[in-house]
Amino acid sequence: ETFRHPIHSAMKLACASVWAASAAVPDTMTALVATSATQKSLKTFPTPKLGDLHKKFTNLPESCEVLVQVACSSINPADGYVSGPFPQVMGSDLAGTVVEVEESCKRLKVGDKVWADIGAVTSSGKENGAYAPFAVALETQLGPMPANLGVKEACSLPKVALTSYKALVWYGGAPYTPSNGTVVVLGGSGGTGTTGIQLAKALGATRIITTTSSANIDYVKGLGATEAIDYHQQNWYDVVKDGEADVVYDCVGEAGTGDQ
């Protein structure tokens, strides 16, 4: 509720309808629909059905399909860009309740609370669908929602947390030890920065240096940063000396950062 984005109001309307797990699934729903890479608007759209993903996309993983009643979604920079096939419902992050499963599903059942980033890129286009009251996803994309999270927390985390996990674990050498535990997180108060700091700490980093504005220094230190650089006052590469950092996780993408 604290952020604003060109598609924010439309997304709130699209996800406004809340259905109980036992309620009948309607044939149509209000959703934020992209009809081309540049055209998107609220529309009445057919409610997705089990089996739709394997009909629409090729070379998907072997997984059954699950229909989720969406309680909450979030907006990431990537959600502003859409590729085919068109038309398609936009949105990738969700938290909600399972309302239908295919018979082959073994892990999830009707009534389960789940969270996910369903914005998977496939060989035949990008799967989305979270900006609507109902979304269909592969069972392998969905995880049980942690009991200690509310739906707003749960729906804001999947994409940024997965991005940070992949950056640090797949490419950034985690888990860390005291011998390789200095991690620099550029843009520590954004979505990926927020999750990056916490994950770096959980993965063993002993020194976490981040950049942020002065207003957010206490925030990033509360997440686990040991040092915070106000980027309005100093360049991080003037503070962090050559060879001092084991990993730099860039959550800003400013031109020339890779040359530092």
Side-chain angles (χ1 to χ4, degrees), residues 131-152:
Y131 293 168
F134 295 90
V136 67
L138 301 177
E139 186 185 44
T140 52
Q141 291 178 296
L142 301 166
M145 195 177 89
N148 63 332
L149 294 183
V151 292
K152 289 184 179 180

mmCIF file with all atom_site columns, all heavy atoms in Angstrom, residues 131-152:
data_model
loop_
_atom_site.group_PDB
_atom_site.id
_atom_site.type_symbol
_atom_site.label_atom_id
_atom_site.label_alt_id
_atom_site.label_comp_id
_atom_site.label_asym_id
_atom_site.label_entity_id
_atom_site.label_seq_id
_atom_site.pdbx_PDB_ins_code
_atom_site.Cartn_x
_atom_site.Cartn_y
_atom_site.Cartn_z
_atom_site.occupancy
_atom_site.B_iso_or_equiv
_atom_site.pdbx_formal_charge
_atom_site.auth_seq_id
_atom_site.auth_comp_id
_atom_site.auth_asym_id
_atom_site.auth_atom_id
_atom_site.pdbx_PDB_model_num
ATOM 1   N N   . TYR A 1 131 ? -1.938  -11.035 -11.550 1.00 0.00 ? 131 TYR A N   1
ATOM 2   C CA  . TYR A 1 131 ? -2.757  -9.837  -11.360 1.00 0.00 ? 131 TYR A CA  1
ATOM 3   C C   . TYR A 1 131 ? -4.216  -10.129 -11.696 1.00 0.00 ? 131 TYR A C   1
ATOM 4   O O   . TYR A 1 131 ? -4.820  -9.549  -12.603 1.00 0.00 ? 131 TYR A O   1
ATOM 5   C CB  . TYR A 1 131 ? -2.234  -8.685  -12.218 1.00 0.00 ? 131 TYR A CB  1
ATOM 6   C CG  . TYR A 1 131 ? -0.868  -8.173  -11.807 1.00 0.00 ? 131 TYR A CG  1
ATOM 7   C CD1 . TYR A 1 131 ? -0.158  -7.304  -12.635 1.00 0.00 ? 131 TYR A CD1 1
ATOM 8   C CD2 . TYR A 1 131 ? -0.290  -8.534  -10.598 1.00 0.00 ? 131 TYR A CD2 1
ATOM 9   C CE1 . TYR A 1 131 ? 1.090   -6.831  -12.265 1.00 0.00 ? 131 TYR A CE1 1
ATOM 10  C CE2 . TYR A 1 131 ? 0.958   -8.070  -10.223 1.00 0.00 ? 131 TYR A CE2 1
ATOM 11  C CZ  . TYR A 1 131 ? 1.640   -7.213  -11.064 1.00 0.00 ? 131 TYR A CZ  1
ATOM 12  O OH  . TYR A 1 131 ? 2.883   -6.735  -10.695 1.00 0.00 ? 131 TYR A OH  1
ATOM 13  N N   . ALA A 1 132 ? -4.783  -11.038 -10.939 1.00 0.00 ? 132 ALA A N   1
ATOM 14  C CA  . ALA A 1 132 ? -6.156  -11.478 -11.143 1.00 0.00 ? 132 ALA A CA  1
ATOM 15  C C   . ALA A 1 132 ? -6.593  -12.232 -9.889  1.00 0.00 ? 132 ALA A C   1
ATOM 16  O O   . ALA A 1 132 ? -5.763  -12.633 -9.072  1.00 0.00 ? 132 ALA A O   1
ATOM 17  C CB  . ALA A 1 132 ? -6.259  -12.386 -12.367 1.00 0.00 ? 132 ALA A CB  1
ATOM 18  N N   . PRO A 1 133 ? -7.895  -12.453 -9.731  1.00 0.00 ? 133 PRO A N   1
ATOM 19  C CA  . PRO A 1 133 ? -8.356  -13.199 -8.550  1.00 0.00 ? 133 PRO A CA  1
ATOM 20  C C   . PRO A 1 133 ? -7.944  -14.666 -8.551  1.00 0.00 ? 133 PRO A C   1
ATOM 21  O O   . PRO A 1 133 ? -7.879  -15.283 -7.491  1.00 0.00 ? 133 PRO A O   1
ATOM 22  C CB  . PRO A 1 133 ? -9.882  -13.063 -8.614  1.00 0.00 ? 133 PRO A CB  1
ATOM 23  C CG  . PRO A 1 133 ? -10.129 -11.850 -9.443  1.00 0.00 ? 133 PRO A CG  1
ATOM 24  C CD  . PRO A 1 133 ? -9.023  -11.838 -10.452 1.00 0.00 ? 133 PRO A CD  1
ATOM 25  N N   . PHE A 1 134 ? -7.680  -15.238 -9.740  1.00 0.00 ? 134 PHE A N   1
ATOM 26  C CA  . PHE A 1 134 ? -7.281  -16.637 -9.839  1.00 0.00 ? 134 PHE A CA  1
ATOM 27  C C   . PHE A 1 134 ? -6.107  -16.763 -10.799 1.00 0.00 ? 134 PHE A C   1
ATOM 28  O O   . PHE A 1 134 ? -6.027  -16.055 -11.807 1.00 0.00 ? 134 PHE A O   1
ATOM 29  C CB  . PHE A 1 134 ? -8.435  -17.512 -10.332 1.00 0.00 ? 134 PHE A CB  1
ATOM 30  C CG  . PHE A 1 134 ? -9.599  -17.586 -9.386  1.00 0.00 ? 134 PHE A CG  1
ATOM 31  C CD1 . PHE A 1 134 ? -10.638 -16.686 -9.471  1.00 0.00 ? 134 PHE A CD1 1
ATOM 32  C CD2 . PHE A 1 134 ? -9.637  -18.561 -8.389  1.00 0.00 ? 134 PHE A CD2 1
ATOM 33  C CE1 . PHE A 1 134 ? -11.708 -16.737 -8.591  1.00 0.00 ? 134 PHE A CE1 1
ATOM 34  C CE2 . PHE A 1 134 ? -10.700 -18.624 -7.504  1.00 0.00 ? 134 PHE A CE2 1
ATOM 35  C CZ  . PHE A 1 134 ? -11.739 -17.714 -7.597  1.00 0.00 ? 134 PHE A CZ  1
ATOM 36  N N   . ALA A 1 135 ? -5.199  -17.679 -10.481 1.00 0.00 ? 135 ALA A N   1
ATOM 37  C CA  . ALA A 1 135 ? -4.048  -17.945 -11.349 1.00 0.00 ? 135 ALA A CA  1
ATOM 38  C C   . ALA A 1 135 ? -3.772  -19.442 -11.344 1.00 0.00 ? 135 ALA A C   1
ATOM 39  O O   . ALA A 1 135 ? -3.966  -20.124 -10.330 1.00 0.00 ? 135 ALA A O   1
ATOM 40  C CB  . ALA A 1 135 ? -2.818  -17.188 -10.855 1.00 0.00 ? 135 ALA A CB  1
ATOM 41  N N   . VAL A 1 136 ? -3.315  -19.943 -12.490 1.00 0.00 ? 136 VAL A N   1
ATOM 42  C CA  . VAL A 1 136 ? -2.927  -21.351 -12.569 1.00 0.00 ? 136 VAL A CA  1
ATOM 43  C C   . VAL A 1 136 ? -1.403  -21.420 -12.625 1.00 0.00 ? 136 VAL A C   1
ATOM 44  O O   . VAL A 1 136 ? -0.747  -20.581 -13.264 1.00 0.00 ? 136 VAL A O   1
ATOM 45  C CB  . VAL A 1 136 ? -3.576  -22.036 -13.797 1.00 0.00 ? 136 VAL A CB  1
ATOM 46  C CG1 . VAL A 1 136 ? -3.033  -21.483 -15.110 1.00 0.00 ? 136 VAL A CG1 1
ATOM 47  C CG2 . VAL A 1 136 ? -3.389  -23.546 -13.737 1.00 0.00 ? 136 VAL A CG2 1
ATOM 48  N N   . ALA A 1 137 ? -0.843  -22.391 -11.924 1.00 0.00 ? 137 ALA A N   1
ATOM 49  C CA  . ALA A 1 137 ? 0.613   -22.535 -11.855 1.00 0.00 ? 137 ALA A CA  1
ATOM 50  C C   . ALA A 1 137 ? 0.971   -24.007 -11.785 1.00 0.00 ? 137 ALA A C   1
ATOM 51  O O   . ALA A 1 137 ? 0.126   -24.853 -11.468 1.00 0.00 ? 137 ALA A O   1
ATOM 52  C CB  . ALA A 1 137 ? 1.160   -21.806 -10.630 1.00 0.00 ? 137 ALA A CB  1
ATOM 53  N N   . LEU A 1 138 ? 2.217   -24.306 -12.086 1.00 0.00 ? 138 LEU A N   1
ATOM 54  C CA  . LEU A 1 138 ? 2.717   -25.656 -11.873 1.00 0.00 ? 138 LEU A CA  1
ATOM 55  C C   . LEU A 1 138 ? 2.874   -25.898 -10.375 1.00 0.00 ? 138 LEU A C   1
ATOM 56  O O   . LEU A 1 138 ? 3.261   -24.991 -9.629  1.00 0.00 ? 138 LEU A O   1
ATOM 57  C CB  . LEU A 1 138 ? 4.064   -25.843 -12.568 1.00 0.00 ? 138 LEU A CB  1
ATOM 58  C CG  . LEU A 1 138 ? 4.115   -25.629 -14.079 1.00 0.00 ? 138 LEU A CG  1
ATOM 59  C CD1 . LEU A 1 138 ? 5.548   -25.795 -14.574 1.00 0.00 ? 138 LEU A CD1 1
ATOM 60  C CD2 . LEU A 1 138 ? 3.184   -26.577 -14.804 1.00 0.00 ? 138 LEU A CD2 1
ATOM 61  N N   . GLU A 1 139 ? 2.612   -27.110 -9.936  1.00 0.00 ? 139 GLU A N   1
ATOM 62  C CA  . GLU A 1 139 ? 2.786   -27.421 -8.528  1.00 0.00 ? 139 GLU A CA  1
ATOM 63  C C   . GLU A 1 139 ? 4.229   -27.169 -8.095  1.00 0.00 ? 139 GLU A C   1
ATOM 64  O O   . GLU A 1 139 ? 4.488   -26.730 -6.969  1.00 0.00 ? 139 GLU A O   1
ATOM 65  C CB  . GLU A 1 139 ? 2.401   -28.875 -8.246  1.00 0.00 ? 139 GLU A CB  1
ATOM 66  C CG  . GLU A 1 139 ? 2.423   -29.216 -6.755  1.00 0.00 ? 139 GLU A CG  1
ATOM 67  C CD  . GLU A 1 139 ? 2.164   -30.694 -6.482  1.00 0.00 ? 139 GLU A CD  1
ATOM 68  O OE1 . GLU A 1 139 ? 2.745   -31.536 -7.206  1.00 0.00 ? 139 GLU A OE1 1
ATOM 69  O OE2 . GLU A 1 139 ? 1.403   -30.996 -5.558  1.00 0.00 ? 139 GLU A OE2 1
ATOM 70  N N   . THR A 1 140 ? 5.181   -27.423 -8.987  1.00 0.00 ? 140 THR A N   1
ATOM 71  C CA  . THR A 1 140 ? 6.592   -27.229 -8.655  1.00 0.00 ? 140 THR A CA  1
ATOM 72  C C   . THR A 1 140 ? 6.956   -25.765 -8.458  1.00 0.00 ? 140 THR A C   1
ATOM 73  O O   . THR A 1 140 ? 8.018   -25.456 -7.899  1.00 0.00 ? 140 THR A O   1
ATOM 74  C CB  . THR A 1 140 ? 7.484   -27.823 -9.750  1.00 0.00 ? 140 THR A CB  1
ATOM 75  O OG1 . THR A 1 140 ? 7.073   -27.307 -11.029 1.00 0.00 ? 140 THR A OG1 1
ATOM 76  C CG2 . THR A 1 140 ? 7.392   -29.339 -9.768  1.00 0.00 ? 140 THR A CG2 1
ATOM 77  N N   . GLN A 1 141 ? 6.113   -24.842 -8.924  1.00 0.00 ? 141 GLN A N   1
ATOM 78  C CA  . GLN A 1 141 ? 6.377   -23.417 -8.735  1.00 0.00 ? 141 GLN A CA  1
ATOM 79  C C   . GLN A 1 141 ? 5.902   -22.914 -7.384  1.00 0.00 ? 141 GLN A C   1
ATOM 80  O O   . GLN A 1 141 ? 6.309   -21.829 -6.957  1.00 0.00 ? 141 GLN A O   1
ATOM 81  C CB  . GLN A 1 141 ? 5.673   -22.600 -9.826  1.00 0.00 ? 141 GLN A CB  1
ATOM 82  C CG  . GLN A 1 141 ? 6.236   -22.777 -11.215 1.00 0.00 ? 141 GLN A CG  1
ATOM 83  C CD  . GLN A 1 141 ? 5.455   -21.963 -12.223 1.00 0.00 ? 141 GLN A CD  1
ATOM 84  O OE1 . GLN A 1 141 ? 4.275   -22.204 -12.459 1.00 0.00 ? 141 GLN A OE1 1
ATOM 85  N NE2 . GLN A 1 141 ? 6.109   -20.979 -12.811 1.00 0.00 ? 141 GLN A NE2 1
ATOM 86  N N   . LEU A 1 142 ? 5.036   -23.645 -6.738  1.00 0.00 ? 142 LEU A N   1
ATOM 87  C CA  . LEU A 1 142 ? 4.365   -23.181 -5.533  1.00 0.00 ? 142 LEU A CA  1
ATOM 88  C C   . LEU A 1 142 ? 4.996   -23.779 -4.286  1.00 0.00 ? 142 LEU A C   1
ATOM 89  O O   . LEU A 1 142 ? 5.329   -24.967 -4.251  1.00 0.00 ? 142 LEU A O   1
ATOM 90  C CB  . LEU A 1 142 ? 2.884   -23.558 -5.574  1.00 0.00 ? 142 LEU A CB  1
ATOM 91  C CG  . LEU A 1 142 ? 2.083   -23.008 -6.762  1.00 0.00 ? 142 LEU A CG  1
ATOM 92  C CD1 . LEU A 1 142 ? 0.747   -23.718 -6.865  1.00 0.00 ? 142 LEU A CD1 1
ATOM 93  C CD2 . LEU A 1 142 ? 1.879   -21.505 -6.613  1.00 0.00 ? 142 LEU A CD2 1
ATOM 94  N N   . GLY A 1 143 ? 5.129   -22.954 -3.261  1.00 0.00 ? 143 GLY A N   1
ATOM 95  C CA  . GLY A 1 143 ? 5.629   -23.437 -1.980  1.00 0.00 ? 143 GLY A CA  1
ATOM 96  C C   . GLY A 1 143 ? 4.614   -23.167 -0.889  1.00 0.00 ? 143 GLY A C   1
ATOM 97  O O   . GLY A 1 143 ? 3.832   -22.215 -0.982  1.00 0.00 ? 143 GLY A O   1
ATOM 98  N N   . PRO A 1 144 ? 4.600   -23.977 0.166   1.00 0.00 ? 144 PRO A N   1
ATOM 99  C CA  . PRO A 1 144 ? 3.728   -23.690 1.306   1.00 0.00 ? 144 PRO A CA  1
ATOM 100 C C   . PRO A 1 144 ? 4.101   -22.348 1.928   1.00 0.00 ? 144 PRO A C   1
ATOM 101 O O   . PRO A 1 144 ? 5.276   -22.073 2.172   1.00 0.00 ? 144 PRO A O   1
ATOM 102 C CB  . PRO A 1 144 ? 4.007   -24.840 2.269   1.00 0.00 ? 144 PRO A CB  1
ATOM 103 C CG  . PRO A 1 144 ? 4.616   -25.921 1.435   1.00 0.00 ? 144 PRO A CG  1
ATOM 104 C CD  . PRO A 1 144 ? 5.373   -25.220 0.349   1.00 0.00 ? 144 PRO A CD  1
ATOM 105 N N   . MET A 1 145 ? 3.132   -21.493 2.151   1.00 0.00 ? 145 MET A N   1
ATOM 106 C CA  . MET A 1 145 ? 3.399   -20.180 2.718   1.00 0.00 ? 145 MET A CA  1
ATOM 107 C C   . MET A 1 145 ? 3.805   -20.325 4.182   1.00 0.00 ? 145 MET A C   1
ATOM 108 O O   . MET A 1 145 ? 3.107   -20.974 4.957   1.00 0.00 ? 145 MET A O   1
ATOM 109 C CB  . MET A 1 145 ? 2.159   -19.292 2.616   1.00 0.00 ? 145 MET A CB  1
ATOM 110 C CG  . MET A 1 145 ? 2.417   -17.825 2.833   1.00 0.00 ? 145 MET A CG  1
ATOM 111 S SD  . MET A 1 145 ? 0.921   -16.836 2.611   1.00 0.00 ? 145 MET A SD  1
ATOM 112 C CE  . MET A 1 145 ? 0.262   -16.854 4.275   1.00 0.00 ? 145 MET A CE  1
ATOM 113 N N   . PRO A 1 146 ? 4.933   -19.743 4.579   1.00 0.00 ? 146 PRO A N   1
ATOM 114 C CA  . PRO A 1 146 ? 5.357   -19.856 5.981   1.00 0.00 ? 146 PRO A CA  1
ATOM 115 C C   . PRO A 1 146 ? 4.286   -19.331 6.933   1.00 0.00 ? 146 PRO A C   1
ATOM 116 O O   . PRO A 1 146 ? 3.682   -18.275 6.689   1.00 0.00 ? 146 PRO A O   1
ATOM 117 C CB  . PRO A 1 146 ? 6.621   -18.991 6.035   1.00 0.00 ? 146 PRO A CB  1
ATOM 118 C CG  . PRO A 1 146 ? 7.143   -18.994 4.631   1.00 0.00 ? 146 PRO A CG  1
ATOM 119 C CD  . PRO A 1 146 ? 5.917   -19.002 3.767   1.00 0.00 ? 146 PRO A CD  1
ATOM 120 N N   . ALA A 1 147 ? 4.076   -20.039 8.015   1.00 0.00 ? 147 ALA A N   1
ATOM 121 C CA  . ALA A 1 147 ? 3.012   -19.686 8.951   1.00 0.00 ? 147 ALA A CA  1
ATOM 122 C C   . ALA A 1 147 ? 3.279   -18.364 9.654   1.00 0.00 ? 147 ALA A C   1
ATOM 123 O O   . ALA A 1 147 ? 2.348   -17.713 10.135  1.00 0.00 ? 147 ALA A O   1
ATOM 124 C CB  . ALA A 1 147 ? 2.848   -20.800 9.985   1.00 0.00 ? 147 ALA A CB  1
ATOM 125 N N   . ASN A 1 148 ? 4.533   -17.950 9.716   1.00 0.00 ? 148 ASN A N   1
ATOM 126 C CA  . ASN A 1 148 ? 4.863   -16.707 10.423  1.00 0.00 ? 148 ASN A CA  1
ATOM 127 C C   . ASN A 1 148 ? 4.805   -15.477 9.522   1.00 0.00 ? 148 ASN A C   1
ATOM 128 O O   . ASN A 1 148 ? 5.166   -14.380 9.944   1.00 0.00 ? 148 ASN A O   1
ATOM 129 C CB  . ASN A 1 148 ? 6.248   -16.810 11.070  1.00 0.00 ? 148 ASN A CB  1
ATOM 130 C CG  . ASN A 1 148 ? 7.360   -16.987 10.053  1.00 0.00 ? 148 ASN A CG  1
ATOM 131 O OD1 . ASN A 1 148 ? 7.145   -17.526 8.968   1.00 0.00 ? 148 ASN A OD1 1
ATOM 132 N ND2 . ASN A 1 148 ? 8.555   -16.539 10.404  1.00 0.00 ? 148 ASN A ND2 1
ATOM 133 N N   . LEU A 1 149 ? 4.351   -15.636 8.274   1.00 0.00 ? 149 LEU A N   1
ATOM 134 C CA  . LEU A 1 149 ? 4.206   -14.505 7.356   1.00 0.00 ? 149 LEU A CA  1
ATOM 135 C C   . LEU A 1 149 ? 2.743   -14.218 7.088   1.00 0.00 ? 149 LEU A C   1
ATOM 136 O O   . LEU A 1 149 ? 1.938   -15.137 6.936   1.00 0.00 ? 149 LEU A O   1
ATOM 137 C CB  . LEU A 1 149 ? 4.905   -14.791 6.023   1.00 0.00 ? 149 LEU A CB  1
ATOM 138 C CG  . LEU A 1 149 ? 6.416   -14.925 6.001   1.00 0.00 ? 149 LEU A CG  1
ATOM 139 C CD1 . LEU A 1 149 ? 6.893   -15.120 4.569   1.00 0.00 ? 149 LEU A CD1 1
ATOM 140 C CD2 . LEU A 1 149 ? 7.092   -13.706 6.619   1.00 0.00 ? 149 LEU A CD2 1
ATOM 141 N N   . GLY A 1 150 ? 2.404   -12.928 7.002   1.00 0.00 ? 150 GLY A N   1
ATOM 142 C CA  . GLY A 1 150 ? 1.098   -12.537 6.499   1.00 0.00 ? 150 GLY A CA  1
ATOM 143 C C   . GLY A 1 150 ? 1.115   -12.546 4.983   1.00 0.00 ? 150 GLY A C   1
ATOM 144 O O   . GLY A 1 150 ? 2.174   -12.643 4.352   1.00 0.00 ? 150 GLY A O   1
ATOM 145 N N   . VAL A 1 151 ? -0.070  -12.419 4.360   1.00 0.00 ? 151 VAL A N   1
ATOM 146 C CA  . VAL A 1 151 ? -0.118  -12.517 2.899   1.00 0.00 ? 151 VAL A CA  1
ATOM 147 C C   . VAL A 1 151 ? 0.624   -11.366 2.222   1.00 0.00 ? 151 VAL A C   1
ATOM 148 O O   . VAL A 1 151 ? 1.223   -11.552 1.160   1.00 0.00 ? 151 VAL A O   1
ATOM 149 C CB  . VAL A 1 151 ? -1.567  -12.604 2.381   1.00 0.00 ? 151 VAL A CB  1
ATOM 150 C CG1 . VAL A 1 151 ? -2.209  -13.912 2.772   1.00 0.00 ? 151 VAL A CG1 1
ATOM 151 C CG2 . VAL A 1 151 ? -2.413  -11.431 2.864   1.00 0.00 ? 151 VAL A CG2 1
ATOM 152 N N   . LYS A 1 152 ? 0.620   -10.169 2.806   1.00 0.00 ? 152 LYS A N   1
ATOM 153 C CA  . LYS A 1 152 ? 1.326   -9.044  2.187   1.00 0.00 ? 152 LYS A CA  1
ATOM 154 C C   . LYS A 1 152 ? 2.835   -9.270  2.200   1.00 0.00 ? 152 LYS A C   1
ATOM 155 O O   . LYS A 1 152 ? 3.530   -8.943  1.231   1.00 0.00 ? 152 LYS A O   1
ATOM 156 C CB  . LYS A 1 152 ? 0.960   -7.731  2.882   1.00 0.00 ? 152 LYS A CB  1
ATOM 157 C CG  . LYS A 1 152 ? -0.457  -7.272  2.603   1.00 0.00 ? 152 LYS A CG  1
ATOM 158 C CD  . LYS A 1 152 ? -0.729  -5.915  3.225   1.00 0.00 ? 152 LYS A CD  1
ATOM 159 C CE  . LYS A 1 152 ? -2.145  -5.436  2.914   1.00 0.00 ? 152 LYS A CE  1
ATOM 160 N NZ  . LYS A 1 152 ? -2.424  -4.114  3.516   1.00 0.00 ? 152 LYS A NZ  1
#
